[in-house]
Amino acid sequence: MSELRRNRIFDILRVSGRVNLLDLANELEISSETVRRDLKRMADEGVVEIVRGGATLPDVLREAAFQHCLNLNADLKRKIAAAAAALVNNGDTIMIGGGSTTCYLALALRDHRNLRVITNSVDAARILGSRGENEVHAVGGRLDDYLGSTVGVVAVENIRRYSAEKTFFSVGA
């Protein structure tokens, strides 16, 4: 396997967390059998995990993938977060979705007080739940460790129980 192709597969995985065998073959302009052999080699090295129809990052690298998302355009995400935080007043009830940009928002809100926060973001709950006498409601559901958020039918049902004055969601949401 060429190092260039291997790096391209790994880059795609870091961004998306999962690759589909046929999509990867089309994108790399190689046969699905070649992709299958490449993924097998990468799995033998512990770099990927083979799943039905494709591959994912192993658990140990998923955190690195989210870290990659946090670092990608970090300055721009901080600016977005600062602008969003300026819209929030102490005592507001807000809803925050998951994602790397909303993690920056949670950090930008650290000095706000008495917020009522509804979130499916594990990081936002942790960051805001430990400061400023905030009341944090972490929405239940299936934990998607790649996104760092709860997702699925249960999460949607739980979120419907709340209302907020302001909501903040990332593009992925």
Side-chain angles (χ1 to χ4, degrees):
M1 161 180 15
S2 78
E3 192 66 24
L4 181 64
R5 194 167 68 228
R6 174 190 162 83
N7 289 340
R8 182 69 183 123
I9 292 169
F10 192 66
D11 286 344
I12 293 167
L13 273 166
R14 278 195 323 227
V15 171
S16 66
R18 179 183 169 91
V19 293
N20 175 284
L21 191 122
L22 296 176
D23 292 343
L24 196 55
N26 287 334
E27 182 160 342
L28 298 174
E29 298 178 343
I30 57 177
S31 74
S32 59
E33 282 306 312
T34 301
V35 171
R36 199 179 317 275
R37 282 191 302 272
D38 288 353
L39 292 176
K40 170 80 169 88
R41 272 192 211 117
M42 293 173 78
D44 290 344
E45 296 168 8
V47 178
V48 302
E49 290 178 358
I50 303 295
V51 296
R52 181 178 170 96
T56 65
L57 289 174
D59 287 340
V60 70
L61 294 178
R62 285 188 190 133
E63 183 63 31
F66 187 71
Q67 189 63 41
H68 172 75
C69 290
L70 281 172
N71 293 330
L72 192 65
N73 299 314
D75 290 336
L76 183 57
K77 290 176 183 183
R78 283 187 195 95
K79 288 177 184 175
I80 292 167
L87 300 172
V88 178
N89 301 309
N90 289 332
D92 278 353
T93 298
I94 63 172
M95 192 173 287
I96 300 175
S100 57
T101 305
T102 54
C103 282
Y104 282 105
L105 172 60
L107 290 169
L109 291 170
R110 284 182 298 188
D111 293 329
H112 283 68
R113 299 285 180 246
N114 301 311
L115 295 176
R116 182 171 186 243
V117 180
I118 300 105
T119 186
N120 68 327
S121 166
V122 174
D123 289 318
R126 181 184 46 78
I127 291 165
L128 295 171
S130 63
R131 302 187 59 104
E133 300 174 5
N134 295 321
E135 178 185 321
V136 175
H137 298 263
V139 174
R142 181 179 57 80
L143 179 64
D144 183 319
D145 62 337
Y146 180 75
L147 299 173
S149 307
T150 55
V151 297
V153 174
V154 174
V156 172
E157 288 173 358
N158 281 306
I159 254 179
R160 286 185 177 146
R161 296 179 180 159
Y162 297 97
S163 62
E165 296 162 332
K166 297 167 183 145
T167 59
F168 301 92
F169 293 94
S170 66
V171 173

